[in-house]
Amino acid sequence: MYVRCITFVLIIICALAQSGRVAAENHFPGAEWEHVTPVESGWSQAELARARAFSDEIRSSAVMIVQHGKVVAEWGNTTKRTELASVRKSLLSALIGIAVTEHLIKLDSTVGELGIDDNPPNLTEAEKGATVRQLLQARSGIYHSALYETPAMAAQRPPRGSHAPGTFWYYNNWDFNALGSIYERATGVGIFEAFDRLIARPIGMQEYRAKDGVYFRGKDSIHPAYPIRMSARDLARFGLLYLHKGNWAGKQIVPRDWVEESTRSYSPSGFGSGYGYLWWTGFLDGSFAPTVKLPEDSISARGAGGQYAFVIPSLDLVVVHRVDRDLVNSVPEPSARNIARLLWLILKAGGYDPGPDASIATATGDRPAGDELTKRVESKTFSFGAKAKGGPFEIRLEPEGGLTYLRWDRSLGPETGTWTVEGEQLCLLRAVSRCYLPVLSGESMQLFDEYGVMQLDATARTQ
């Protein structure tokens, strides 16, 4: 009997300890964020310094690292409201989830049933069969002109009628903008006001105001885009909300079922990530070169110009990266692999396994220059991206400077171009000229960018 009592007491103590641990992990900021030192949180100050130094190299404007609801590290201007770009779509996804739960929007309603159309040439009957769910998944098959898209997006847009609704994934601003119109018609409330009342205020956003959103209108479409400005620390609150499945300090702000449904992958994106309902799942898959190893439950909201909010539930971690687009003419956009490198350094600082180090500092091989480099690569065909969608791809460096992609996906850029050697750099010239530092070993060639991050891991094709 005595032994049983001791065992029972130990069980109770363990349960209380476990509940205390969970309570600590479920910490939420009040009016201000709570900060902890790296020593208190078990992070490496030296490794965080490496991450910050690299962040400065790629010209980040603001970075926040939040674990267990507390700020482990932050740098840059985390309070300035800057443009979110396409992160806005993940905010809208949250609002749509609330409206779906309130039976204001039905996911299987069609565009035609909702009376959604556009400027001539109007939507076809087939296009009007696309559902709200398919718009959320970027699988509508509606390739009408859209607002607020880059020239590259417009150039890559498939022809009208080329894919039936639900059969093809394409990152489509028409879908995203029309969803804004659908939401506002269904609820009778503007996106910016609704976000302020339903999400921003309940989770204590410190800078966000409804007037931080504006509508972008134009002649190409009747459905406006809805760019939003937000600070890094407010975006971190939104990430923390999704980390806790839409719950904030015991109050369910966004329905839990919706968070789980909307952050599940329904399509491979072709960029190494999956795509849910206006949310990205996973990150780069290492198809072209080693990258960063993130837990499988990782999701992210992303926008052009380097806007990211990473949510990693298994590590109880939120990482926000911002670039101030007000300085767009002087601040180049960091590549996805640059962001992967920053995440690699951040995870290493936290004591987690980020995967192999894909920096030039650990590369082994020769670094020829000038005529020797030309001799080593000229007339060779290099294969890469074996695991990528549509891969493996092949590039041939022709004599006299011609460049040909023998196996290629046209959506990724032109199939031909030129190449040249400039000192230690191999430069590939197509729509945009990019120069790399090559490291050669046997039949392999690894290309590194100016920040020392591997961009391509290729092997000479065996004839």
Side-chain angles (χ1 to χ4, degrees):
M1 183 66 179
Y2 177 73
V3 173
R4 288 182 181 176
C5 288
I6 292 177
T7 303
F8 178 74
V9 169
L10 288 175
I11 291 173
I12 294 297
I13 290 173
C14 289
L16 289 172
Q18 177 70 7
S19 66
R21 184 186 66 82
V22 172
E25 291 180 351
N26 287 346
H27 181 85
F28 294 88
E32 295 286 343
W33 283 92
E34 183 177 347
H35 293 69
V36 291
T37 66
V39 173
E40 292 174 310
S41 56
W43 287 62
S44 166
Q45 182 68 58
E47 295 295 343
L48 282 171
R50 287 185 64 201
R52 179 167 185 171
F54 181 77
S55 171
D56 290 342
E57 281 190 70
I58 63 173
R59 302 185 187 181
S60 310
S61 298
V63 173
M64 281 191 71
I65 303 170
V66 177
Q67 190 171 47
H68 309 322
K70 301 177 183 180
V71 179
V72 173
E74 67 175 315
W75 54 83
N77 190 342
T78 60
T79 65
K80 182 182 177 182
R81 304 175 188 89
T82 57
E83 188 184 341
L84 288 175
S86 289
V87 171
R88 68 189 172 99
K89 298 159 189 175
S90 298
L91 308 187
L92 179 62
S93 178
L95 292 176
I96 289 175
I98 296 171
V100 167
T101 302
E102 294 176 348
H103 307 292
L104 298 175
I105 295 176
K106 295 180 180 179
L107 292 183
D108 294 320
S109 294
T110 67
V111 167
E113 291 168 346
L114 296 173
I116 296 294
D117 206 333
D118 211 329
N119 294 329
N122 306 96
L123 301 190
T124 65
E125 289 305 310
E127 289 172 331
K128 289 181 180 179
T131 65
V132 174
R133 188 189 310 274
Q134 290 163 347
L135 268 64
L136 286 163
Q137 296 171 339
R139 298 178 68 90
S140 74
I142 300 174
Y143 305 130
H144 190 285
S145 297
L147 297 172
Y148 210 62
E149 60 182 7
T150 65
M153 291 171 68
Q156 293 169 15
R157 186 191 306 117
R160 294 281 294 272
S162 58
H163 301 285
T167 63
F168 185 76
W169 184 89
Y170 166 69
Y171 190 73
N172 189 359
N173 261 22
W174 193 93
D175 293 358
F176 312 138
N177 296 341
L179 283 167
S181 297
I182 290 170
Y183 176 82
E184 294 191 339
R185 291 186 190 184
T187 64
V189 183
I191 291 170
F192 314 125
E193 293 78 11
F195 187 82
D196 183 44
R197 177 171 57 85
L198 298 176
I199 296 176
R201 285 192 229 170
I203 68 175
M205 285 190 175
Q206 294 166 270
E207 278 81 42
Y208 178 79
R209 306 160 300 179
K211 64 181 181 180
D212 291 328
V214 296
Y215 293 101
F216 182 90
R217 305 180 189 277
K219 60 183 176 59
D220 290 330
S221 173
I222 65 172
H223 302 292
Y226 38 93
I228 299 172
R229 299 176 76 88
M230 184 175 288
S231 67
R233 65 179 184 175
D234 280 353
L235 182 56
R237 286 186 185 246
F238 184 69
L240 189 63
L241 175 67
Y242 263 69
L243 182 73
H244 292 292
K245 305 293 185 184
N247 189 284
W248 190 268
K251 182 179 180 181
Q252 200 68 38
I253 306 298
V254 180
R256 181 185 180 92
D257 289 347
W258 178 261
V259 172
E260 293 176 345
E261 181 179 351
S262 63
T263 58
R264 187 179 302 133
S265 177
Y266 299 98
S267 307
S269 68
F271 304 124
S273 300
Y275 201 73
Y277 295 168
L278 312 186
W279 278 90
W280 300 87
T281 65
F283 195 41
L284 298 179
D285 60 9
S287 296
F288 295 94
T291 177
V292 61
K293 185 173 73 176
L294 292 181
E296 292 184 0
D297 60 359
S298 302
I299 61 172
S300 59
R302 306 182 195 174
Q307 323 307 326
Y308 290 86
F310 290 96
V311 179
I312 310 175
S314 61
L315 303 183
D316 203 12
L317 181 68
V318 172
V319 177
V320 167
H321 177 273
R322 304 298 307 279
V323 173
D324 187 348
R325 301 191 85 193
D326 294 341
L327 307 175
V328 68
N329 292 327
S330 59
V331 180
E333 177 176 356
S335 72
R337 293 191 180 278
N338 295 153
I339 299 298
R341 178 61 180 172
L342 179 60
L343 280 174
W344 192 95
L345 291 165
I346 288 172
L347 292 184
K348 190 168 178 16
Y352 305 107
D353 177 14
D357 186 344
S359 70
I360 198 168
T362 62
T364 58
D366 302 328
R367 303 184 190 181
D371 292 342
E372 178 62 21
L373 175 55
T374 300
K375 181 180 177 181
R376 294 278 293 271
V377 300
E378 188 175 45
S379 301
K380 286 195 173 182
T381 299
F382 292 94
S383 177
F384 58 94
K387 296 181 181 179
K389 182 181 178 182
F393 302 116
E394 292 182 343
I395 179 174
R396 180 169 174 79
L397 303 184
E398 308 282 1
E400 308 300 328
L403 178 155
T404 305
Y405 282 87
L406 305 177
R407 297 190 60 189
W408 191 236
D409 182 340
R410 291 183 181 179
S411 68
L412 300 176
E415 296 175 276
T416 60
T418 59
W419 67 276
T420 185
V421 167
E422 298 181 5
E424 295 180 339
Q425 294 186 318
L426 173 62
C427 299
L428 308 180
L429 292 79
R430 293 187 295 153
V432 177
S433 174
R434 299 191 185 280
C435 295
Y436 304 95
L437 293 169
V439 175
L440 307 177
S441 178
E443 295 300 307
S444 73
M445 176 175 69
Q446 297 174 338
L447 300 182
F448 296 82
D449 68 9
E450 66 269 34
Y451 305 110
V453 178
M454 192 190 301
Q455 300 292 313
L456 194 70
D457 190 3
T459 303
R461 186 184 68 187
T462 302
Q463 300 293 336

